[in-house]
Amino acid sequence: MDMSALKRREFIGRSGAAALGLALGGALGPLAAQEAGRPVRVGFIGLGSRGTVLLRLALMLEGVEVPAICDIKESAAGRAGRLVERRGFKPPELYTRGPEDYKRMLEKGGLDAVICATPREWHTPMMVETMKAGMYAGVEVPAGISVDECWQLVETSEKTGVPCMMLENYCYFQNVMMILNLLDQGLFGDMVHSEVGYQKDERFLQIGPNGEIDDEYGILRRDTNGNLYPTHAVGPAAWSMKVNRGDRFDFIVSVSSRSANMHEYLVQQFGPDHPAAKVVFKNGDVNTSIIRTVKGRTITVYFDTQTPRPWDPILRFESSKGVFMGSVDRIYVEGLSPDNRIWEDAAPYYEKYAHPLWKKLGGQDIQLGRGVCEYLVMHQFLQAVRRKAETPLNVYDAAAWSSILDLSRESVSKGSQPVEFPDFSRGKWETERDRIYYLD
């Protein structure tokens, strides 16, 4: 990465953003106010398994219409259209003429927001065009796959005044939101350190039935080395530390272990003489990245999808007043816990210190994706659209969290040297701000 080019871009963009008047918590440029009582009109791009989950979640919300569906597969678009009809709406218009047909959907207009759940290389170009069309952009993770793409998202949002929200559902886990509520109430002090991870056995997801490496993440693991899926893990940690709301990521140090498990797995599955057993995977079995913020907070981020293991996001939050251990659901809070030598079961805290969003919406039986947290992230995005207001997770979050993929690869390739984060907010992070939650 050319750091001098980044600094030039930061300098040039600073005056442009100031001229547009788009600041964190400030006006949102040309967006018109929502007419009272009018449904929020949402278009969807990408209706595979993940896109279908997001569509079902959106249709659960009152006052939401889906007039447009886009997918390169007519069968997927047709299935999604029938889901909309079964909810009592008129059939949506289908856009299925190829990978660029989403532009025709945007050109027709009439949408308040577009949600993108396509393969990741399409996320940034589709969301850039969505914002240019004046529509809120909601995107699956990661929002961008390079630092340059992250800058494209930021610069487009600033120039158009249109928000972009990465739909990071881990931020809305019940335990994460309980910790956020303790922080908001001043009972958990100030965040010091967090340990998080995307850790689950995904070896089988990367390999086709005949040993072919055709999954996008299988190809990525074969060809590169770093933290290749960072946003689920880092999102809750960054949000708890108010990154981009009074602090920002400063630098990252990333180190990868040896790469052995994928080879051993393929030998077991197909035999030592199969072509798949000859594939060399560059990505280490475990990547460990350490992020330091400008104000001295630290985050350890693990990426481990090539070892045999259960799912574990870790979710350790350590503050000036205590520590929460998500893996074992234990907590200690100075001033609340009776003894600093004994862990408390966190279960009573979920009831006593439940986040207002969970109190209001967490009791529903959501049998989609990861359950209530999926519903909450969709609810919060569409509430921002309805209000024509700032999204709770903003474009600077999308850029900073997604950029870890690119920056961790750079650090690993340079012998685990520290690599600086760009200041995607161009100084706006210095303004202390509260986290945003929409409760109605």
Side-chain angles (χ1 to χ4, degrees):
M1 180 174 57
D2 185 349
M3 295 305 294
S4 62
L6 286 178
K7 289 177 181 177
R8 286 197 300 273
R9 175 176 282 183
E10 290 176 25
F11 175 78
I12 293 168
R14 185 185 297 271
S15 58
L20 285 163
L22 181 68
L24 290 168
L28 290 173
L31 295 173
Q34 179 88 19
E35 300 126 17
R38 181 175 70 77
V40 174
R41 297 169 298 209
V42 187
F44 279 79
I45 310 174
L47 277 301
S49 59
R50 184 60 189 157
T52 300
V53 168
L54 297 178
L55 173 62
R56 289 179 179 273
L57 289 165
L59 292 173
M60 293 177 66
L61 293 162
E62 295 295 328
V64 174
E65 293 182 356
V66 181
I69 295 289
C70 179
D71 197 286
I72 59 173
K73 295 181 179 178
E74 291 186 12
S75 58
R79 182 179 64 248
R82 291 189 291 275
L83 284 174
V84 175
E85 289 185 72
R86 285 200 291 270
R87 284 282 293 168
F89 299 108
K90 65 180 182 180
E93 188 163 354
L94 305 183
Y95 296 83
T96 60
R97 296 179 186 173
E100 299 284 337
D101 206 30
Y102 73 95
K103 294 180 180 178
R104 188 164 62 93
M105 182 182 82
L106 298 176
E107 288 168 1
K108 182 173 182 180
L111 300 174
D112 301 300
V114 171
I115 291 174
C116 174
T118 61
R120 63 195 194 103
E121 64 267 21
W122 287 96
H123 290 180
T124 294
M126 288 177 168
M127 293 295 91
V128 164
E129 294 301 320
T130 294
M131 288 185 281
K132 287 181 177 178
M135 304 165 190
Y136 272 63
V139 60
E140 257 299 327
V141 305
I145 57 176
S146 68
V147 169
D148 183 66
E149 285 196 346
C150 292
W151 273 117
Q152 290 178 44
L153 292 168
V154 167
E155 290 169 352
T156 303
S157 182
E158 290 181 338
K159 289 175 182 176
T160 62
V162 179
C164 176
M165 177 168 163
M166 186 167 60
L167 304 177
E168 183 44 76
N169 52 55
Y170 276 40
C171 290
Y172 293 91
F173 280 175
Q174 185 179 16
N175 52 9
V176 172
M177 299 218 75
M178 181 266 288
I179 292 298
L180 294 180
N181 190 39
L182 286 171
L183 287 165
D184 289 342
Q185 293 189 42
L187 298 174
F188 203 53
D190 183 52
M191 282 294 298
V192 175
H193 176 74
S194 187
E195 185 177 2
V196 292
Y198 188 76
Q199 302 183 118
K200 57 192 297 192
D201 188 350
E202 292 186 345
R203 292 172 296 172
F204 66 97
L205 292 177
Q206 304 165 28
I207 310 300
N210 299 312
E212 62 271 25
I213 314 296
D214 57 3
D215 173 82
E216 63 175 324
Y217 277 98
I219 294 170
L220 193 61
R221 288 170 173 87
R222 181 193 67 192
D223 296 341
T224 191
N225 193 2
N227 186 323
L228 308 183
Y229 201 63
T231 69
H232 283 331
V234 82
W239 214 20
S240 74
M241 295 177 181
K242 289 193 173 181
V243 169
N244 298 321
R245 296 157 182 81
D247 202 352
R248 75 169 180 89
F249 293 156
D250 189 6
F251 64 84
I252 183 171
V253 174
S254 188
V255 59
S256 289
S257 74
R258 67 172 190 166
S259 179
N261 280 358
M262 283 305 300
H263 171 73
E264 294 171 6
Y265 176 79
L266 290 168
V267 168
Q268 292 171 5
Q269 295 296 311
F270 302 103
D273 298 324
H274 192 278
K278 310 298 183 184
V279 176
V280 176
F281 287 84
K282 291 184 179 179
N283 202 60
D285 292 334
V286 179
N287 175 270
T288 305
S289 297
I290 300 174
I291 298 171
R292 190 182 190 277
T293 73
V294 170
K295 294 194 174 178
R297 301 177 177 99
T298 53
I299 306 170
T300 305
V301 189
Y302 295 93
F303 176 65
D304 178 0
T305 60
Q306 296 173 197
T307 64
R309 58 165 305 126
W311 174 70
D312 178 17
I314 307 175
L315 296 176
R316 168 176 171 162
F317 298 90
E318 191 161 355
S319 75
S320 60
K321 286 194 174 182
V323 59
F324 169 75
M325 302 285 286
S327 292
V328 293
D329 218 23
R330 294 291 184 268
I331 193 168
Y332 169 78
V333 183
E334 191 173 55
L336 299 179
S337 299
D339 190 332
N340 66 2
R341 295 167 296 178
I342 300 174
W343 288 102
E344 285 190 272
D345 185 343
Y349 282 75
Y350 291 131
E351 181 175 353
K352 187 172 183 179
Y353 299 104
H355 193 279
L357 268 178
W358 270 82
K359 282 184 178 179
K360 185 176 181 66
L361 302 171
Q364 302 181 68
D365 183 21
I366 308 295
Q367 300 296 322
L368 290 168
R370 290 195 175 275
V372 174
C373 70
E374 299 267 36
Y375 179 80
L376 289 179
V377 72
M378 182 62 67
H379 177 275
Q380 292 294 281
F381 173 65
L382 293 180
Q383 281 296 89
V385 176
R386 187 185 307 280
R387 297 162 180 258
K388 291 294 183 283
E390 184 183 349
T391 52
L393 307 178
N394 58 45
V395 72
Y396 305 119
D397 299 324
W401 304 354
S402 298
S403 70
I404 293 169
L405 189 158
D406 209 5
L407 300 177
S408 70
R409 292 189 297 191
E410 182 180 354
S411 178
V412 170
S413 70
K414 293 181 176 179
S416 302
Q417 293 182 17
V419 176
E420 292 183 4
F421 280 87
D423 179 5
F424 290 107
S425 77
R426 303 183 180 96
K428 300 185 191 75
W429 66 270
E430 297 181 69
T431 302
E432 290 277 351
R433 299 173 61 247
D434 291 334
R435 287 172 285 267
I436 293 174
Y437 317 113
Y438 293 120
L439 297 178
D440 53 12

